[in-house]
Amino acid sequence: APGVYQLASLLVELDTSDEASQVLCADALYQTGCVEEAHKLLLLTLSRNPQSSPILARLALLQLKKGFVYDGNQLLKKVIRIGDTSCLLPIMDIFKDEDRRLMQTHCHVRALVILKNKQED
């Protein structure tokens, strides 16, 4: 992860508007335990493209990790509304095991609540 971060940082310096380099840099920061720095970089990247599902999904995990369930839910809802959920599976490979379980459990519980509410209606 430190080597990936250095490479991604160089790529970001070469082209500050390259979203892929910024996401790679944020992923490397996350993997090295620099969660706050990753969060700040993702927010900056999101400000340039507010409809980017990969960024929104990563931010959702970071919010859930911090215990901000409502914010995490809102970000996941936005990913679903955009309609590009294909980013979720590849992102799960990046997450650490504990965070992957957190996201899977959270999404499973939310899905059950939605199904239960629909059955009651």
Side-chain angles (χ1 to χ4, degrees):
V4 171
Y5 173 71
Q6 290 175 343
L7 175 61
S9 295
L10 288 173
L11 291 171
V12 169
E13 284 181 32
L14 290 172
D15 184 1
T16 57
S17 66
D18 182 32
E19 184 177 301
S21 297
Q22 292 173 333
V23 169
L24 182 62
C25 194
D27 287 348
L29 284 167
Y30 163 79
Q31 285 293 326
T32 58
C34 301
V35 176
E36 285 303 316
E37 290 84 357
H39 189 258
K40 289 176 189 174
L41 181 57
L42 289 170
L43 287 175
L44 176 65
T45 306
L46 186 66
S47 70
R48 294 185 186 124
N49 183 5
Q51 299 297 313
S52 176
S53 292
I55 295 169
L56 291 166
R58 284 170 171 83
L59 283 169
L61 169 75
L62 296 179
Q63 294 295 62
L64 293 173
K65 188 173 176 67
K66 291 178 182 181
F68 300 135
V69 176
Y70 178 79
D71 295 336
N73 281 341
Q74 295 305 309
L75 290 165
L76 287 171
K77 284 179 185 178
K78 192 168 185 178
V79 169
I80 292 166
R81 268 186 259 126
I82 291 169
D84 182 17
T85 57
S86 63
C87 66
L88 292 173
L89 281 178
I91 291 172
M92 294 301 269
D93 291 337
I94 297 165
F95 293 163
K96 295 178 182 176
D97 286 339
E98 66 206 38
D99 295 334
R100 186 178 308 118
R101 282 190 299 278
L102 173 68
M103 181 69 102
Q104 288 172 333
T105 302
H106 177 76
C107 288
H108 180 76
V109 168
R110 291 295 306 147
L112 289 175
V113 168
I114 291 168
L115 288 173
K116 182 181 176 194
N117 289 339
K118 286 191 182 226
Q119 287 176 348
E120 289 175 0
D121 290 344

